[in-house]
Amino acid sequence: MSTLKKRMVQEFTDIKVLLRNIPSITVTVFILSVVCANLMANKELCNIGYLALDCGFAFSWLMFLCMDVICKRYGPKASIEVSVIALLVNLCVCGLFFLLSLTPGKWGEFYSFELDSVNTALNNTFGGAWYVVLGSGLAFLTSSVVNALLNNSLGKKLKKNNFIAFAFRSYISTMIAQFVDNFIFATVVSKIFFGWNWTQVIICSLIGAGCELLAEILFSGFGWKVVKSWDKDNVGNEYFSYMDEKRA
């Protein structure tokens, strides 16, 4: 067996053990938040000057809170691996939505208005545009890596294991990673396809990251309670033992 194939088999085994040890509700909420954020990004939440937010904002902060909780308990590698899984599921959902949008059937709302434009609009919304899917996927993957590595790096510098330490590492990593996410998406999609200038890209990325950080701050206490409950119940011990044996 080649070295590359052995590495792939090992990584697949690592992921299987990891998914057996992370509570399923956490993985489910994480994946749903990624899929919902991508879908609801099609609807504008507000657009006032440089403050431009889409409805995906309602879910994007939850994605990062899940990543912070997983990173705190299982480490950065685990957080990145679950993020990749969530991204792959999202791409599959987007592909399925696109194929279904090509079917000749009518949407329920068509029968309320009997206008072809309604059917076309819904098909375009759920079918998505390739550059939006590409931009959001690239932004999410990059920001999830940044968030996990930065969160873990900050955690190593902290001596205490309390809510303040959890909040410190989570807030800083989330703010920076959210900016990276917004910046990449705005650059790939908004600047190239919608004609934004660099001022709009940077300011909107900063404001969006700040708003998303505020949302996570409101619910970070819940995230900390989840981490503490996992510690108390020894959740993930099989994964930790497996990784210790692998490193030995």
Side-chain angles (χ1 to χ4, degrees), residues 17-46:
V17 176
L18 174 65
L19 292 180
R20 283 204 306 265
N21 281 263
I22 299 180
S24 58
I25 185 64
T26 302
V27 178
T28 301
V29 169
F30 185 23
I31 293 176
L32 279 176
S33 66
V34 174
V35 174
C36 291
N38 183 77
L39 178 61
M40 295 310 298
N42 288 287
K43 181 174 175 59
E44 188 177 78
L45 180 62
C46 66

Side-chain angles (χ1 to χ4, degrees), residues 70-83:
I70 293 173
C71 185
K72 176 64 175 66
R73 179 62 178 170
Y74 297 90
K77 182 175 181 290
S79 178
I80 294 172
E81 287 172 343
V82 177
S83 297

Side-chain angles (χ1 to χ4, degrees), residues 202-233:
I202 294 174
I203 294 180
C204 284
S205 297
L206 284 170
I207 293 177
C211 292
E212 289 160 330
L213 174 61
L214 288 175
E216 180 170 341
I217 289 174
L218 292 175
F219 295 95
S220 58
F222 175 75
W224 171 245
K225 288 182 179 179
V226 170
V227 172
K228 291 300 293 181
S229 68
W230 287 354
D231 290 341
K232 180 181 179 181
D233 297 335

Side-chain angles (χ1 to χ4, degrees), residues 54-94:
D54 56 61
C55 288
F57 163 76
F59 301 95
S60 59
W61 65 269
L62 182 56
M63 291 159 31
F64 281 85
L65 182 59
C66 288
M67 281 190 275
D68 292 337
V69 168
I70 293 173
C71 185
K72 176 64 175 66
R73 179 62 178 170
Y74 297 90
K77 182 175 181 290
S79 178
I80 294 172
E81 287 172 343
V82 177
S83 297
V84 171
I85 292 172
L87 176 60
L88 292 176
V89 172
N90 180 60
L91 292 176
C92 290
V93 171
C94 289

